[in-house]
Amino acid sequence: MKTNQRLFFYCNFLLPRKEWLLAIVVMLFSTYTLSAQEAKVIQGTVTSTKDAMSLPGVNVSIKGTNTVTVTGFNGEYSIKATPKDVLVFSYIGFSNQEITVGNKSLINIVLNDDLNKLDEVVVIGYGTQKKSDLSGSVGIVNMESAKKTVTYDAAKMLQGQVAGVTVQSSGEPGGFVNIKIRGLNSFTNNNPLFVIDGMIVDSPFDFAPGDIESMQVLKDASSAAIYGVRGANGVVIITTKKGKAGKLNIKYKSLVGFQNVSKKWSVTDRVGYQTITSAAEKNAGLSVAPGNDPTNPLYISNVDTNWQNAAYETGVIENHSLAFNGGAEELAYNMNMDYFKNSSYIKSPQDYERLSMNLNLNGKKGKFKYGTKIGYTQSDKENFNSYVGENAVGALVGAIPTMPVYDANRLGGYGGTTNLTQRAISLNVIGFNNLIENNGKRNRFIGDVWGEYEIVKGLKYKIDASFDRLDYENRRYIPQSDLGWYYITTKEEASLDISTGSNDKTFFNNTLTYSLDIEKHKFDILAGWVQERNDSYNHWSRGVGYDSGEISKLQYADDTSTGESNVTITGKSYISRINYSYDDRYLLQANFRQDKTSLFSEKNNTANNYSFSGAWKLSNEKFIHLPEWVNTIKLRGSYGKLGNNTIPPYFFATTINSFAGYDFNNQLAPGTTVVASLDPNVRWEDVKTTDVALELGLFNNDLQFTAEYFVKNSTNLLVDVPLPFSTGAFPASIRTNAGAMRNKGFEFSTTYNNNDNAFKYSISANIGTLKNEVLQIGINGNPIYGAASKTVVGRSIGEIFAYETAGIFQNAADLAASPTQTNAGVGDIKFKDINGDGMISDLDRTFQGITIPKYSYGFNFSGSYKNWDIAMFWQGAGGNKVFNSIYRNLMAGQYGNHSTDELNYWTPTNTNTNVPRPIIGDPNANGRDSNRFIENGDYLRLQTMEIGYQIPVPSKSFIQKAKVYVNGQNLLTISKYKGSDPDFNSNDGSFSRGYDGGSFPNPRTVSLGLEVNF
């Protein structure tokens, strides 16, 4: 109406009176026109295209104005706008959507996921940062893809998801998952640090993966330096779901799956076993074992046990969870209750069961933000048992077929072998594990409370206190039993071992953050103080001497012993960080952390770690004119120093025995002796990292690509240095800072999203290369030997070190013409004389290949069409060698079972073979470490495939969403490896890497799932 008032004023004072009539007509017409443009109330609902659920908290604004509103609990909004106005709908993680009002009064909006996510806020150490502003190397996990991995451990979800991150697991229910970030950085510990909702934890083993909102992997010094001496091996940051203002949302998820071993060893049956073993005895000049001799009354013809078929059964995995989310701005909540159970695919009581609960509360009142986290987990694991010096899976595969599974005549009711009949020492793995009680219970409570207050604009103070309590009980009872020759447990050997304990960790964090914008300059500053304490207590008891059937309690043992230990570790740290940005083109970051801990002596208990990084957004430069299809170009680089403090408590204090005696002139004189010699100057391990990268965003950022190169130099590594025996220390070595190592490699990752058509899809791929080199070992550089491996300066850690074969001795002339090979005979393996000294000895062993994969990779595809969706995830690794120790045992030609390959053994009439003659005792050492048992470790695996269908539900139903799906894991493995699984978990040792002694093979799993949102 202001326009009409101006028009009236103009008419009254400037126009002649005879023109007034015309002006009044114009004014009336203008009034009518403007009234037609007056604002009206627009209403509607905003939902998500992914799950059709309402979205509270969406900003609804009128473009070009300050008028804005926010959607409520049900995603509903109301705003006044004119027909010409353009409404803008914006929400974090979703693409903005604009719509002209026109004649509509009801406008319902469906927001699409912002799959480009360049402005996605990611969690970093003690804060957050926009993805586009990162100057360090941070791998962001696609949680939608990762959560399709059915697992009890969040670490398993990282497999193949981030370039440079390798994950190895096994089929053991509740078994440990090994994860390495950019290779090996230490001779002692290479496990990364895990941070869950700001709380530092050893591993995510006790936490339900389904409650995770996001995961980030801090790979370089720039991103991890804020964690100081804990960041050398990388950091995995896990954020669980938080409460969101809105109505109560309830989500139920249920999954039931079935597991079995996808690949079994090809071993001989009774006839094949008896044929090879009898030939081995005859070649050694021995008589045939009675059980294998058809002419002997003790000949075994009625037992033909296929131990793999007898032991492997269908395992069951199930996971049920119920989640509640809602609340108001003052207090929002998210609670998740989760139940997980996994029974073994091996016939035994071994299983894993876990019940967990997680509650997050968060809110805001004026300038004060606050929140708390409460988590509780109770788990029960029945452990698998291995006889001393044996591997359970290896013993199962090598068990002889003439041994029965059950035998009512033996104590315990399980079969075994005898020296008289079979002459074979063979473990009944089924009986061994069903007779022994081996249980571990864990109860874990975590609590965290925090508050943040904005003192003045941009300046915030945050206080955060957390507590992590673990109580555990381990119980192992070995009763009297008779499992055959060598595996007899007498009353005196029957034992009960019990250990109970607790571990308390407390953290107290105080941080100040300040954000300041001055025109084109932007500063974000962090400073803080961290205090921590770790109290560990352990009590153990042992009882020995139990009658058969006696109650397995300590009071019934013939003899008992007990002990306890208590350790306290304290630490204090100062942290700081500064981020600087100029005109969204130039980015700089600096981190500093000083750590002080009681783990080291006073003169070495402080370490300073730091990092510097920078990035240049070339695409934001005005002088650079890019094609329309190029949206983002960013260069970044970083350098920094990190530490590794993984050392046992009091490892700097030499241990002595003050009650030692010495025979002096036939009299016992009191004395003191060194028990363990330790280096009082031991200190932190150091890792220095250099990282450079190029990031590209093309085609409206639908296609994103990152190329990265890194170098990690580890120095002051802890390594055992030999000591003279005259020191009296046992072992005769001292662990000190005398090692160095380098890792370097390239990493590439790319993502493409197409969300514009009815068929929506996303493709992502990553690959990382790694080259490891040992730079220093001890003081004199003496090599370190492992299982079929040798570690020396200038080569990769744990390389396979073995003999090379040159065929088989075909006759006496061939034997005489070859280099001297002690105890060799016709039909034995001929080994190469590498050093040319005319005889075969340890000096002829050579390096046969690296055991660390040269490259690892992952490929994800997900798509959706109408109510259907599909996802596929491939991962693999290669370029490494594996020493197949199980195959070596199956080809030994001794009393254990044999591979079917050995049926083609050498005889005077079967000379066209590479399999030597079987001979008891193996005098030529045909089974020595050699390239006979070395294989390529390359593999490609269809790790996960899932097909889902979203069930249509009525619009007014209490059910918002319902989905059913079928999920498969480990469905296909492409590999030439003879073993059950090329991705075996025992491939984790530092010096004995790539040695397959019998890891639980990862099972093939097929699951049915249901998700319902209320």
Side-chain angles (χ1 to χ4, degrees), residues 758-833:
F759 177 65
K760 301 176 176 61
Y761 62 91
S762 174
I763 301 173
S764 64
N766 68 79
I767 184 171
T769 70
L770 183 67
K771 183 178 180 181
N772 173 271
E773 183 182 359
V774 176
L775 304 178
Q776 180 187 0
I777 303 176
I779 299 173
N780 300 318
N782 295 325
I784 297 176
Y785 292 90
S789 71
K790 182 180 180 180
T791 299
V792 298
V793 173
R795 304 188 71 97
S796 176
I797 186 173
E799 284 195 44
I800 293 179
F801 191 66
Y803 293 89
E804 286 191 24
T805 60
I808 292 179
F809 293 114
Q810 297 296 335
N811 47 55
D814 188 10
L815 187 63
S818 299
T820 301
Q821 194 166 307
T822 306
N823 297 325
V826 175
D828 284 334
I829 292 290
K830 182 192 304 182
F831 295 99
K832 290 185 178 180
D833 181 16

Side-chain angles (χ1 to χ4, degrees), residues 435-438 473 475-480 494-498 543-557:
L435 289 172
I436 293 177
E437 301 173 17
N438 189 354
E473 177 186 351
R475 180 185 180 89
R476 189 169 191 255
Y477 175 63
I478 304 176
Q480 284 191 60
S495 61
L496 172 64
D497 289 279
I498 299 175
V544 294
Y546 289 89
D547 287 319
S548 177
E550 194 168 14
I551 298 175
S552 57
K553 299 294 182 181
L554 286 173
Q555 62 263 39
Y556 299 107

Side-chain angles (χ1 to χ4, degrees), residues 496-498 539-544 554 557-563:
L496 172 64
D497 289 279
I498 299 175
H539 180 278
W540 60 266
S541 298
R542 177 174 174 83
V544 294
L554 286 173
D558 291 344
D559 188 23
T560 60
S561 57
T562 187

Side-chain angles (χ1 to χ4, degrees), residues 821-865:
Q821 194 166 307
T822 306
N823 297 325
V826 175
D828 284 334
I829 292 290
K830 182 192 304 182
F831 295 99
K832 290 185 178 180
D833 181 16
I834 299 299
N835 67 350
D837 64 357
M839 62 183 301
I840 304 301
S841 67
D842 286 348
L843 300 177
D844 294 308
R845 288 184 294 174
T846 60
F847 289 100
Q848 300 288 331
I850 65 171
T851 53
I852 300 175
K854 291 182 179 179
Y855 54 87
S856 58
Y857 52 89
F859 172 80
N860 274 294
F861 171 82
S862 61
S864 63
Y865 179 74

